Amino acid sequence: MSEELQNVQKKFHDEVVTIKTLQEAEQLKVKYLGRTGIVSELMKVIPKLPVGDRASYGKQINSLKDEISRILTEHIDKLSIGKKPAGKREVFDPTLPGKMYNPGKKHPITQTIEDIKDVFSRLGFEVAYGPEVELEYYNFDALNIPSDHPSRTDFDTFYIKDDILLRSQTSTVQIRIMEKQKPPIRIIAPGIVYRPDTVDARHSFMFHQVEGLLVDEGVSFADLKGTLNQFIKSYFGKNIEMRLRPSFFPFTEPSAEVDISCSLCSGKGCSVCSYSGWVEILGAGMVDPNVFEAVHYDAEKYTGFAFGLGVERVTMLKYGINDIRLFYENDLRFLSQF
Ligand code: PHE
């Protein structure tokens, strides 16, 4: 390459490393490759050269021109990223259909828990929570469940260690709240419970309960019945009937199991209600004085009621769902219906 061309090449390389903006790159392009730029000036020399030298000189200029052009294009491309090409401004067309996004939804179990919270908050209940990994004391002892009770065996409870387990009922929260607070108490406690049941259409090793507890002076069984009736009518609708059957729980006395008229067949009888017209949704009763003793409450002064409701159960009844496993399979065809 001739000395003159080498000088131009070197000068270009010195200048190109200093460019920082697109504008500077464009200016350098005009300076070297423009119609009256440095490269064009060099070309003008060709006709004045001896005929034999012209071809090789022309080739050298062309290859220098290509080199400059390639380097500048690279710079211009890099500096133009994110910038719209001039003259091709995007036009916003407001008549085009919008992009459809599929907003997420709350899981039906979460929705039911929120519906239950709504009803009970209107009745003055606060929401409380307790741990899922629990001491045996809170799951059994403090709830007046004798040490030889069958529910304590590992056929009915998941043990982590001798005295640590996965809670099998939300009644644990009754004790934890009463240990911390003095009456009056009015709480509901939603949460997950665990039982080693074989999974089928109606059973799962993990499900949700909502516990309720009200303690005050002069609380009677009529208050329990009125509260539950209010809940059932609000959640299921005015046409649903409630009935109480005598039952037994170690931590309530007297105790009852609460049925509602089958919402699927309106009480006429179907496979869901085993053709009885009624389905059980919760256990309830008046707090046993032994439980008050465990939390150092004066059982002469205070009375109270408690209940424990199956969240999956009421959701299935309300929406006519026939298999509990649908709640846990994450199938959007099911979940998107709620
Ligand atoms: N904990 C009971 C159960 O899981 C339900 C219950 C709660 C019964 C409170 C009475 C009072 O079956």
Side-chain angles (χ1 to χ4, degrees), residues 22 44 75 80 90 111 145 148 212 257 260 297-298 333:
L22 187 56
K44 285 187 190 152
H75 275 78
S80 346
E90 246 173 58
Q111 289 185 42
I145 300 178
D148 59 352
E257 251 149 334
I260 58 166
Y297 276 12
D298 183 351
R333 289 171 301 180

Side-chain angles (χ1 to χ4, degrees), residues 293-305:
E293 216 162 276
V295 295
H296 312 295
Y297 276 12
D298 183 351
E300 296 297 321
K301 189 171 172 197
Y302 297 113
T303 47
F305 65 73

Side-chain angles (χ1 to χ4, degrees), residues 15-31 72 75-76 79:
E15 285 190 80
V16 83
V17 291
T18 67
I19 50 177
K20 287 187 197 71
T21 65
L22 187 56
Q23 205 191 357
E24 286 171 3
E26 301 279 11
Q27 279 166 3
L28 205 59
K29 188 174 173 183
V30 173
K31 181 172 173 186
L72 279 173
H75 275 78
I76 289 169
L79 292 164

Side-chain angles (χ1 to χ4, degrees), residues 196-319:
D197 285 336
T198 304
V199 176
D200 62 23
R202 290 169 148 255
H203 298 91
S204 165
F205 55 87
M206 178 219 90
F207 57 99
H208 296 72
Q209 289 188 327
V210 173
E211 192 80 6
L213 175 69
L214 184 145
V215 183
D216 205 342
E217 288 178 49
V219 179
S220 75
F221 202 92
D223 296 315
L224 168 61
K225 202 174 163 186
T227 304
L228 292 178
N229 194 47
Q230 179 72 39
F231 162 69
I232 286 164
K233 301 273 179 197
S234 309
Y235 181 73
F236 287 103
K238 298 238 172 332
N239 301 329
I240 298 292
E241 296 301 320
M242 170 183 100
R243 84 174 179 189
L244 273 66
R245 279 180 293 111
S247 184
F248 175 79
F249 297 100
F251 36 93
T252 48
E253 180 60 32
S255 303
E257 251 149 334
V258 178
D259 299 339
I260 58 166
S261 55
C262 181
S263 52
L264 300 181
C265 64
S266 316
K268 287 189 201 75
C270 66
S271 62
V272 170
C273 59
S274 309
Y275 301 94
S276 69
W278 296 94
V279 264
E280 186 204 318
I281 58 161
L282 61 89
M286 302 304 289
V287 179
D288 193 290
N290 288 344
V291 173
F292 283 149
E293 216 162 276
V295 295
H296 312 295
Y297 276 12
D298 183 351
E300 296 297 321
K301 189 171 172 197
Y302 297 113
T303 47
F305 65 73
F307 59 86
L309 164 110
V311 178
E312 279 79 352
R313 183 44 92 77
V314 295
T315 312
M316 289 168 81
L317 285 169
K318 181 157 175 174
Y319 298 107

Side-chain angles (χ1 to χ4, degrees), residues 107-109 199-204 206 312 315-316 319-338:
H107 191 279
I109 294 298
V199 176
D200 62 23
R202 290 169 148 255
H203 298 91
S204 165
M206 178 219 90
E312 279 79 352
T315 312
M316 289 168 81
Y319 298 107
I321 299 162
N322 58 10
D323 196 321
I324 194 171
R325 290 168 290 198
L326 287 164
F327 290 123
Y328 314 123
E329 285 168 349
N330 254 346
D331 186 336
L332 292 180
R333 289 171 301 180
F334 170 72
L335 296 175
S336 63
Q337 296 177 62
F338 297 90

Side-chain angles (χ1 to χ4, degrees), residues 57-275:
Y57 190 73
K59 255 193 201 156
Q60 289 176 32
I61 294 181
N62 273 334
S63 84
L64 178 63
K65 188 182 169 188
D66 288 345
E67 187 188 341
I68 292 174
S69 160
R70 181 177 47 78
I71 293 172
L72 279 173
T73 309
E74 270 169 26
H75 275 78
I76 289 169
D77 284 351
K78 239 188 252 160
L79 292 164
S80 346
I81 289 173
K83 301 213 168 97
K84 292 203 180 93
K88 281 198 196 160
R89 292 229 330 276
E90 246 173 58
V91 179
F92 175 65
D93 180 353
T95 65
L96 286 175
K99 282 188 193 138
M100 296 301 284
Y101 290 104
N102 255 345
K105 280 186 170 187
K106 286 180 183 161
H107 191 279
I109 294 298
T110 307
Q111 289 185 42
T112 299
I113 290 175
E114 289 186 357
D115 291 347
I116 295 171
K117 280 188 201 165
D118 275 355
V119 176
F120 282 100
S121 69
R122 273 182 300 211
L123 297 173
F125 285 73
E126 283 172 41
V127 181
Y129 297 95
E132 289 168 25
V133 177
E134 190 48 287
L135 292 170
E136 194 177 19
Y137 174 77
Y138 290 102
N139 204 78
F140 295 121
D141 302 278
L143 287 164
N144 196 37
I145 300 178
S147 52
D148 59 352
H149 195 276
S151 68
R152 289 193 184 235
T153 66
D154 45 20
F155 293 105
D156 283 308
T157 301
F158 286 113
Y159 282 87
I160 288 169
K161 281 188 190 158
D162 271 355
D163 58 343
I164 301 179
L165 44 76
L166 295 181
R167 69 176 176 193
S168 59
Q169 49 184 357
T170 44
S171 304
T172 52
V173 186
Q174 291 186 34
I175 306 298
R176 287 188 170 271
I177 291 296
M178 287 193 283
E179 274 185 348
K180 275 192 265 155
Q181 296 175 27
K182 293 274 156 258
I185 289 198
R186 217 184 261 212
I187 54 125
I188 56 164
I192 297 175
V193 300
Y194 301 85
R195 294 182 192 176
D197 285 336
T198 304
V199 176
D200 62 23
R202 290 169 148 255
H203 298 91
S204 165
F205 55 87
M206 178 219 90
F207 57 99
H208 296 72
Q209 289 188 327
V210 173
E211 192 80 6
L213 175 69
L214 184 145
V215 183
D216 205 342
E217 288 178 49
V219 179
S220 75
F221 202 92
D223 296 315
L224 168 61
K225 202 174 163 186
T227 304
L228 292 178
N229 194 47
Q230 179 72 39
F231 162 69
I232 286 164
K233 301 273 179 197
S234 309
Y235 181 73
F236 287 103
K238 298 238 172 332
N239 301 329
I240 298 292
E241 296 301 320
M242 170 183 100
R243 84 174 179 189
L244 273 66
R245 279 180 293 111
S247 184
F248 175 79
F249 297 100
F251 36 93
T252 48
E253 180 60 32
S255 303
E257 251 149 334
V258 178
D259 299 339
I260 58 166
S261 55
C262 181
S263 52
L264 300 181
C265 64
S266 316
K268 287 189 201 75
C270 66
S271 62
V272 170
C273 59
S274 309
Y275 301 94

